[in-house]
Amino acid sequence: MELRVIGCHGGETPKHRTSAFVVDDRLAIDAGSLTSGLDLTAQFRLQACLVSHAHLDHIRDLATIADNRCQADCEPLIVAGTAPTLRVLKKHFFNNLLWPDFTQIPNKTRPTLKFLEMKPEKKIQLGAYTARAVMVSHTIDSAGFIIDGPDATIGYSGDTGPTDRLWELLNKEKNLKALLLEVSFPDREQRLATVSGHHTPRTLIKDLKKYVHPKDLPALLYHIKPVFQREVEQEIAKLKGVNLTVTAIGDQYVL
Ligand SMILES: [Zn+2]
Ligand SMILES: [Zn+2]
């Protein structure tokens, strides 16, 4: 399984992009930078996009990728998420006001986007992969994912503060090769992290220790706020007994 980092930040500047990852060129995880970070060929190759929650930094490029794929007459892009997330996408985003409803364009039988509901903890099949949504702890309904491919399983935390169920399920996985894990604010901004449903290095290390062998699990960190990038990286560098990597745009992992 090849995992590419398209965007891995909790904000945007010319050097920071919002969350989007691609597995084997086919399966996207969140859509924060799918068009700002992928050329047209790569945009057209995607078959599905898992959407963790409806916050704009995770869904924004669904607008522009739909537009591009529609003009190129691509196969429908499957957009998979839990019911609350899809409800927001339909009502507030692809509502023919903010953006056209690309689930009806160019026509209903072969639209540009197809929404696929994920029931929490029930597997769905997407090509060679199965994916499960696991509800996590954020300010709105937010899911993490467990994704099984032919040779590896990876986890994705979604936007979350301290949470339990995701760790219970990750502990049962036999072939877990990596976990994409959010961290957003430095320790001194704990209050802000708590009210906004995000991790600081302090809560991140506590949560990671809910995993049976935290040292054996490569945790790929993303969603750091650009304003706090250096400070969060310095705090992370001091954490012991875990296997942490701060992801960067363009990183590729073979798992
Ligand atoms: Zn969020
Ligand atoms: Zn976010």
Side-chain angles (χ1 to χ4, degrees), residues 53 55 57-58 138-140 142 159 196 198 223:
H53 68 303
H55 276 157
D57 58 318
H58 299 256
H138 194 40
T139 52
I140 61 168
S142 180
D159 278 15
S196 61
H198 288 295
H223 210 279

Side-chain angles (χ1 to χ4, degrees), residues 212-227:
V212 270
H213 304 293
K215 225 174 186 168
D216 298 338
L217 177 65
L220 310 175
L221 305 181
Y222 74 100
H223 210 279
I224 299 173
K225 298 284 179 186
V227 167

Side-chain angles (χ1 to χ4, degrees), residues 72-114:
D73 195 30
C74 293
E75 287 290 312
L77 178 72
I78 308 293
V79 175
T82 60
T85 298
L86 297 184
R87 210 176 300 129
V88 177
L89 287 178
K90 285 176 199 165
K91 188 172 176 198
H92 299 290
F93 197 53
F94 295 100
N95 59 2
N96 288 323
L97 292 169
L98 193 67
W99 203 246
D101 180 2
F102 276 98
T103 65
Q104 310 287 316
I105 300 171
N107 58 64
K108 286 181 187 178
T109 47
R110 192 170 178 274
T112 306
L113 302 181
K114 271 189 185 169

Side-chain angles (χ1 to χ4, degrees), residues 179 208 214-221 239-245:
L179 171 66
L208 255 172
K215 225 174 186 168
D216 298 338
L217 177 65
L220 310 175
L221 305 181
L239 301 177
K240 300 274 186 290
V242 280
N243 180 351
L244 306 178
T245 304

